[in-house]
Amino acid sequence: MSKLEEVSVLITKGKAKLIGAAVQEALDDGCEATAVLDTMIDAMGVVGEQFKNNEIFVPEMLVAARAMKKGVEVLKPHLSGGSASVAGKVIIGTVAGDLHDIGKNLVAMMIESAGFEVIDLGVDVPADKFVEAVRENPDVKIVGLSALLTTTMPAMKNTVEVLNAADFRGSIKVMVGGAPITQEFADEIGADAYTADAASAAQKAKELAA
Ligand code: B1M
Protein backbone atom coordinates (compact mmCIF):
# COMPACT_ATOMS: atom_id res chain seq x y z
CA MET A 1 0.00 0.00 0.00
CA SER A 2 1.38 3.46 -0.86
CA LYS A 3 1.83 6.07 1.89
CA LEU A 4 -1.10 8.07 0.52
CA GLU A 5 -3.34 4.98 0.46
CA GLU A 6 -2.34 4.35 4.06
CA VAL A 7 -3.33 7.93 5.00
CA SER A 8 -6.67 7.45 3.26
CA VAL A 9 -7.41 4.17 5.08
CA LEU A 10 -6.46 5.63 8.47
CA ILE A 11 -8.88 8.54 7.92
CA THR A 12 -11.79 6.36 6.81
CA LYS A 13 -11.18 4.01 9.74
CA GLY A 14 -10.80 6.95 12.14
CA LYS A 15 -7.36 6.00 13.46
CA ALA A 16 -6.50 9.31 15.18
CA LYS A 17 -3.52 7.87 17.04
CA LEU A 18 -1.83 6.54 13.90
CA ILE A 19 -2.61 9.24 11.35
CA GLY A 20 0.02 11.75 12.48
CA ALA A 21 2.89 9.34 11.90
CA ALA A 22 1.45 8.23 8.55
CA VAL A 23 1.12 11.84 7.34
CA GLN A 24 4.69 12.53 8.44
CA GLU A 25 5.91 9.40 6.62
CA ALA A 26 4.11 10.47 3.43
CA LEU A 27 5.81 13.88 3.65
CA ASP A 28 9.20 12.27 4.38
CA ASP A 29 8.62 10.05 1.36
CA GLY A 30 8.40 13.15 -0.83
CA CYS A 31 4.63 13.56 -1.15
CA GLU A 32 3.48 17.19 -1.54
CA ALA A 33 1.55 18.50 1.48
CA THR A 34 -1.30 19.53 -0.85
CA ALA A 35 -1.47 15.97 -2.23
CA VAL A 36 -1.70 14.56 1.30
CA LEU A 37 -4.46 17.08 2.11
CA ASP A 38 -6.39 16.20 -1.07
CA THR A 39 -6.13 12.51 -0.13
CA MET A 40 -7.54 13.26 3.33
CA ILE A 41 -10.39 15.38 1.91
CA ASP A 42 -11.25 12.59 -0.56
CA ALA A 43 -11.23 10.10 2.33
CA MET A 44 -13.79 12.26 4.17
CA GLY A 45 -15.87 12.11 0.99
CA VAL A 46 -15.73 8.31 1.16
CA VAL A 47 -16.84 8.48 4.81
CA GLY A 48 -19.78 10.68 3.74
CA GLU A 49 -20.80 8.17 1.06
CA GLN A 50 -20.61 5.29 3.55
CA PHE A 51 -22.80 7.28 5.96
CA LYS A 52 -25.30 8.05 3.21
CA ASN A 53 -25.48 4.33 2.36
CA ASN A 54 -26.00 3.37 6.02
CA GLU A 55 -22.72 1.46 6.04
CA ILE A 56 -21.46 3.57 8.95
CA PHE A 57 -23.16 5.85 11.49
CA VAL A 58 -22.48 9.14 13.35
CA PRO A 59 -19.87 7.71 15.78
CA GLU A 60 -17.76 6.47 12.85
CA MET A 61 -18.08 9.86 11.12
CA LEU A 62 -16.95 11.47 14.35
CA VAL A 63 -13.81 9.34 14.71
CA ALA A 64 -12.95 9.96 11.05
CA ALA A 65 -13.30 13.70 11.74
CA ARG A 66 -10.96 13.37 14.73
CA ALA A 67 -8.39 11.58 12.61
CA MET A 68 -8.72 14.28 9.94
CA LYS A 69 -8.02 16.97 12.54
CA LYS A 70 -4.93 15.17 13.81
CA GLY A 71 -3.65 14.76 10.27
CA VAL A 72 -4.21 18.44 9.48
CA GLU A 73 -2.24 19.40 12.63
CA VAL A 74 0.81 17.61 11.22
CA LEU A 75 0.26 19.10 7.75
CA LYS A 76 -0.39 22.68 8.87
CA PRO A 77 3.24 23.92 9.02
CA HIS A 78 3.80 22.47 5.54
CA LEU A 79 0.74 24.14 4.04
CA SER A 80 1.01 27.58 5.60
CA GLY A 81 2.92 30.04 3.48
CA GLY A 82 3.92 32.06 6.54
CA SER A 83 3.20 35.35 4.80
CA ALA A 84 4.71 38.25 6.73
CA SER A 85 2.39 40.96 5.44
CA VAL A 86 -0.89 41.67 7.17
CA ALA A 87 -3.64 41.67 4.57
CA GLY A 88 -6.42 42.52 7.05
CA LYS A 89 -8.81 40.89 9.47
CA VAL A 90 -11.28 38.12 8.65
CA ILE A 91 -14.07 36.78 10.87
CA ILE A 92 -15.12 33.21 10.12
CA GLY A 93 -17.60 30.73 11.55
CA THR A 94 -19.99 27.88 10.84
CA VAL A 95 -23.59 29.08 10.90
CA ALA A 96 -26.21 28.37 13.59
CA GLY A 97 -27.28 24.76 13.96
CA ASP A 98 -24.26 23.39 12.11
CA LEU A 99 -21.42 21.59 13.92
CA HIS A 100 -19.17 20.80 10.93
CA ASP A 101 -15.84 22.56 11.21
CA ILE A 102 -13.18 20.69 9.25
CA GLY A 103 -13.75 22.64 6.03
CA LYS A 104 -14.14 25.92 7.90
CA ASN A 105 -10.86 25.26 9.75
CA LEU A 106 -9.08 24.57 6.45
CA VAL A 107 -10.46 27.80 4.97
CA ALA A 108 -9.32 29.70 8.10
CA MET A 109 -5.86 28.13 7.83
CA MET A 110 -5.45 29.01 4.13
CA ILE A 111 -6.72 32.57 4.69
CA GLU A 112 -4.27 32.94 7.56
CA SER A 113 -1.50 31.71 5.27
CA ALA A 114 -2.50 34.42 2.80
CA GLY A 115 -1.51 37.00 5.43
CA PHE A 116 -4.83 37.71 7.16
CA GLU A 117 -5.52 37.74 10.87
CA VAL A 118 -8.39 35.30 11.38
CA ILE A 119 -10.95 35.51 14.19
CA ASP A 120 -12.60 32.10 14.31
CA LEU A 121 -15.99 32.14 16.06
CA GLY A 122 -16.27 28.34 15.90
CA VAL A 123 -19.38 26.34 15.05
CA ASP A 124 -23.13 26.85 15.59
CA VAL A 125 -22.66 30.62 15.49
CA PRO A 126 -25.86 32.69 15.69
CA ALA A 127 -26.21 35.66 13.31
CA ASP A 128 -26.00 38.17 16.17
CA LYS A 129 -22.61 36.83 17.20
CA PHE A 130 -21.17 37.65 13.76
CA VAL A 131 -22.58 41.19 14.08
CA GLU A 132 -21.16 41.55 17.59
CA ALA A 133 -17.74 40.37 16.40
CA VAL A 134 -17.70 42.94 13.57
CA ARG A 135 -18.65 45.69 16.04
CA GLU A 136 -15.78 44.62 18.31
CA ASN A 137 -13.41 44.63 15.31
CA PRO A 138 -14.33 47.65 13.18
CA ASP A 139 -11.23 47.11 11.01
CA VAL A 140 -12.48 43.69 9.84
CA LYS A 141 -12.58 43.39 6.05
CA ILE A 142 -14.29 40.05 5.43
CA VAL A 143 -16.86 37.84 7.16
CA GLY A 144 -16.79 34.17 6.07
CA LEU A 145 -19.69 31.79 6.65
CA SER A 146 -19.57 28.02 6.30
CA ALA A 147 -22.50 25.56 6.14
CA LEU A 148 -22.39 21.82 5.48
CA LEU A 149 -26.04 20.88 5.84
CA THR A 150 -28.93 21.67 3.52
CA THR A 151 -30.91 22.22 6.72
CA THR A 152 -28.58 25.03 7.83
CA MET A 153 -28.63 26.88 4.50
CA PRO A 154 -31.57 28.98 5.83
CA ALA A 155 -29.37 29.97 8.82
CA MET A 156 -26.71 31.11 6.35
CA LYS A 157 -29.37 33.12 4.48
CA ASN A 158 -30.55 34.66 7.75
CA THR A 159 -26.98 35.53 8.80
CA VAL A 160 -26.29 37.26 5.47
CA GLU A 161 -29.60 39.15 5.78
CA VAL A 162 -28.69 40.33 9.29
CA LEU A 163 -25.21 41.39 8.12
CA ASN A 164 -26.68 43.12 5.05
CA ALA A 165 -29.00 45.15 7.28
CA ALA A 166 -26.16 46.31 9.58
CA ASP A 167 -24.80 49.86 9.36
CA PHE A 168 -21.25 48.56 8.78
CA ARG A 169 -22.19 46.53 5.68
CA GLY A 170 -20.49 48.97 3.32
CA SER A 171 -17.11 48.33 4.89
CA ILE A 172 -17.14 44.50 4.89
CA LYS A 173 -17.41 41.75 2.29
CA VAL A 174 -19.34 38.55 2.99
CA MET A 175 -17.97 35.24 1.68
CA VAL A 176 -19.85 31.94 1.84
CA GLY A 177 -18.99 28.30 1.21
CA GLY A 178 -19.54 24.66 2.17
CA ALA A 179 -20.57 21.51 0.34
CA PRO A 180 -24.25 22.35 -0.35
CA ILE A 181 -23.57 26.02 -1.21
CA THR A 182 -23.52 27.20 -4.82
CA GLN A 183 -22.78 30.46 -6.61
CA GLU A 184 -26.50 30.69 -7.39
CA PHE A 185 -27.41 30.40 -3.69
CA ALA A 186 -24.75 32.95 -2.74
CA ASP A 187 -26.21 35.42 -5.29
CA GLU A 188 -29.75 34.71 -4.12
CA ILE A 189 -28.96 35.49 -0.46
CA GLY A 190 -26.88 38.59 -1.23
CA ALA A 191 -23.38 37.39 -0.33
CA ASP A 192 -20.43 39.06 -2.08
CA ALA A 193 -18.57 35.87 -2.94
CA TYR A 194 -18.79 32.09 -3.06
CA THR A 195 -15.84 29.72 -3.36
CA ALA A 196 -15.82 25.95 -3.56
CA ASP A 197 -12.64 25.17 -1.64
CA ALA A 198 -10.14 26.49 0.88
CA ALA A 199 -7.45 27.49 -1.61
CA SER A 200 -9.83 29.53 -3.76
CA ALA A 201 -11.34 31.07 -0.59
CA ALA A 202 -7.89 32.45 0.31
CA GLN A 203 -7.39 33.74 -3.24
CA LYS A 204 -10.82 35.39 -3.23
CA ALA A 205 -10.17 36.95 0.19
CA LYS A 206 -7.04 38.61 -1.20
CA GLU A 207 -9.03 39.99 -4.15
CA LEU A 208 -11.83 41.28 -1.92
CA ALA A 209 -9.45 42.96 0.53
CA ALA A 210 -7.30 44.59 -2.16
CO1 B1M B 1 -22.07 15.26 8.90
N1 B1M B 1 -23.09 15.34 7.25
N2 B1M B 1 -23.72 15.25 9.94
N3 B1M B 1 -20.92 15.01 10.41
N4 B1M B 1 -20.67 14.93 7.67
C1 B1M B 1 -22.36 15.49 5.99
C2 B1M B 1 -22.17 16.96 5.66
C3 B1M B 1 -23.30 14.71 4.95
C4 B1M B 1 -23.15 15.23 3.51
C5 B1M B 1 -23.05 13.19 5.05
C6 B1M B 1 -23.93 12.41 4.08
O1 B1M B 1 -25.07 12.20 4.35
N5 B1M B 1 -23.38 11.99 2.94
C7 B1M B 1 -24.71 14.98 5.59
C8 B1M B 1 -25.43 16.25 5.12
C9 B1M B 1 -26.57 15.95 4.17
C10 B1M B 1 -27.24 17.21 3.75
O2 B1M B 1 -27.41 18.14 4.45
N6 B1M B 1 -27.64 17.18 2.49
C11 B1M B 1 -24.39 15.04 7.07
C12 B1M B 1 -25.33 14.82 8.11
C13 B1M B 1 -26.71 14.39 7.66
C14 B1M B 1 -25.01 14.99 9.47
C15 B1M B 1 -25.95 14.83 10.68
C16 B1M B 1 -27.35 15.44 10.50
C17 B1M B 1 -26.00 13.32 11.00
C18 B1M B 1 -26.94 12.94 12.12
O3 B1M B 1 -26.78 13.35 13.24
N7 B1M B 1 -27.91 12.13 11.75
C19 B1M B 1 -25.14 15.55 11.81
C20 B1M B 1 -25.47 17.05 11.91
C21 B1M B 1 -24.81 17.69 13.10
C22 B1M B 1 -24.92 19.21 13.02
O4 B1M B 1 -24.10 19.84 12.37
N8 B1M B 1 -25.93 19.78 13.66
C23 B1M B 1 -23.75 15.37 11.30
C24 B1M B 1 -22.63 15.27 12.15
C25 B1M B 1 -21.35 15.07 11.73
C26 B1M B 1 -20.18 14.85 12.70
C27 B1M B 1 -20.26 15.73 13.95
C28 B1M B 1 -20.21 13.38 13.12
C29 B1M B 1 -18.94 15.09 11.75
C30 B1M B 1 -18.41 16.54 11.79
C31 B1M B 1 -17.24 16.69 12.70
C32 B1M B 1 -16.56 18.04 12.52
O5 B1M B 1 -16.67 18.73 11.51
N9 B1M B 1 -15.86 18.41 13.55
C33 B1M B 1 -19.56 14.89 10.37
C34 B1M B 1 -18.80 14.65 9.19
C35 B1M B 1 -17.33 14.39 9.40
C36 B1M B 1 -19.37 14.67 7.89
C37 B1M B 1 -18.70 14.36 6.53
C38 B1M B 1 -18.49 12.85 6.47
C39 B1M B 1 -17.39 15.05 6.25
C40 B1M B 1 -17.42 16.58 6.31
C41 B1M B 1 -16.01 17.09 6.10
O6 B1M B 1 -15.32 17.39 7.06
N10 B1M B 1 -15.55 17.08 4.84
C42 B1M B 1 -19.81 14.89 5.51
C43 B1M B 1 -19.81 14.14 4.19
C44 B1M B 1 -19.07 14.88 3.09
O7 B1M B 1 -18.74 16.04 3.18
N11 B1M B 1 -18.89 14.21 2.00
C45 B1M B 1 -21.02 14.98 6.35
C46 B1M B 1 -14.17 17.45 4.49
C47 B1M B 1 -14.05 18.97 4.40
C48 B1M B 1 -12.61 19.34 4.06
O8 B1M B 1 -14.88 19.40 3.35
O9 B1M B 1 -16.44 20.64 4.92
O10 B1M B 1 -16.98 20.37 2.43
P1 B1M B 1 -15.99 20.55 3.51
O11 B1M B 1 -15.16 21.88 3.25
C49 B1M B 1 -14.60 22.22 1.98
C50 B1M B 1 -15.55 23.02 1.08
O12 B1M B 1 -16.92 22.77 1.31
C51 B1M B 1 -15.16 24.44 1.28
O13 B1M B 1 -13.76 24.36 1.53
C52 B1M B 1 -13.49 23.20 2.31
C53 B1M B 1 -12.09 22.70 2.05
O14 B1M B 1 -11.77 22.64 0.68
N12 B1M B 1 -15.74 25.27 2.32
C54 B1M B 1 -15.73 26.63 2.19
C55 B1M B 1 -16.26 24.97 3.52
N13 B1M B 1 -16.61 26.09 4.17
C56 B1M B 1 -16.27 27.14 3.39
C57 B1M B 1 -16.38 28.52 3.59
C58 B1M B 1 -15.92 29.36 2.57
C59 B1M B 1 -15.41 28.84 1.38
C60 B1M B 1 -15.29 27.48 1.18
O15 B1M B 1 -15.96 30.72 2.65
C61 B1M B 1 -16.19 31.31 3.90
Side-chain angles (χ1 to χ4, degrees), residues 25-68:
E25 277 172 32
L27 293 170
D28 294 345
D29 228 38
C31 297
E32 293 285 339
T34 47
V36 182
L37 180 63
D38 286 346
T39 300
M40 298 201 310
I41 292 176
D42 288 349
M44 290 307 287
V46 171
V47 170
E49 276 305 300
Q50 290 172 338
F51 176 77
K52 204 166 70 184
N53 299 331
N54 290 322
E55 291 159 18
I56 61 164
F57 301 95
V58 173
E60 287 93 339
M61 269 210 291
L62 207 46
V63 289
R66 276 197 204 120
M68 176 85 184

Side-chain angles (χ1 to χ4, degrees), residues 91 121 125-138 140 143 145 158-168 172:
I91 288 171
L121 301 181
V125 183
D128 291 353
K129 208 160 167 205
F130 283 102
V131 171
E132 208 178 287
V134 179
R135 294 212 191 286
E136 282 166 9
N137 297 278
V140 76
V143 177
L145 310 176
N158 172 252
T159 307
V160 176
E161 276 167 4
V162 170
L163 287 168
N164 285 352
D167 50 359
F168 53 68
I172 60 154

Side-chain angles (χ1 to χ4, degrees), residues 42-197:
D42 288 349
M44 290 307 287
V46 171
V47 170
E49 276 305 300
Q50 290 172 338
F51 176 77
K52 204 166 70 184
N53 299 331
N54 290 322
E55 291 159 18
I56 61 164
F57 301 95
V58 173
E60 287 93 339
M61 269 210 291
L62 207 46
V63 289
R66 276 197 204 120
M68 176 85 184
K69 280 190 181 177
K70 288 276 172 204
V72 171
E73 273 170 30
V74 177
L75 268 189
K76 192 173 174 181
H78 301 271
L79 288 166
S80 308
S83 171
S85 65
V86 176
K89 248 186 215 178
V90 175
I91 288 171
I92 194 163
T94 304
V95 300
D98 201 321
L99 302 175
H100 295 85
D101 69 354
I102 294 173
K104 183 263 297 165
N105 293 346
L106 286 176
V107 171
M109 188 175 87
M110 297 303 266
I111 287 182
E112 219 170 57
S113 306
F116 289 88
E117 180 186 339
V118 176
I119 300 168
D120 188 344
L121 301 181
V123 296
D124 190 14
V125 183
D128 291 353
K129 208 160 167 205
F130 283 102
V131 171
E132 208 178 287
V134 179
R135 294 212 191 286
E136 282 166 9
N137 297 278
D139 54 339
V140 76
K141 290 189 173 171
I142 296 167
V143 177
L145 310 176
S146 179
L148 258 288
L149 299 170
T150 46
T151 50
T152 54
M153 288 168 73
M156 178 177 269
K157 179 174 189 275
N158 172 252
T159 307
V160 176
E161 276 167 4
V162 170
L163 287 168
N164 285 352
D167 50 359
F168 53 68
R169 181 63 172 96
S171 64
I172 60 154
K173 299 285 185 195
V174 177
M175 284 176 62
V176 295
I181 310 304
T182 59
Q183 180 66 57
E184 197 187 5
F185 180 71
D187 292 342
E188 192 186 303
I189 65 176
D192 296 304
Y194 157 78
T195 53
D197 58 59

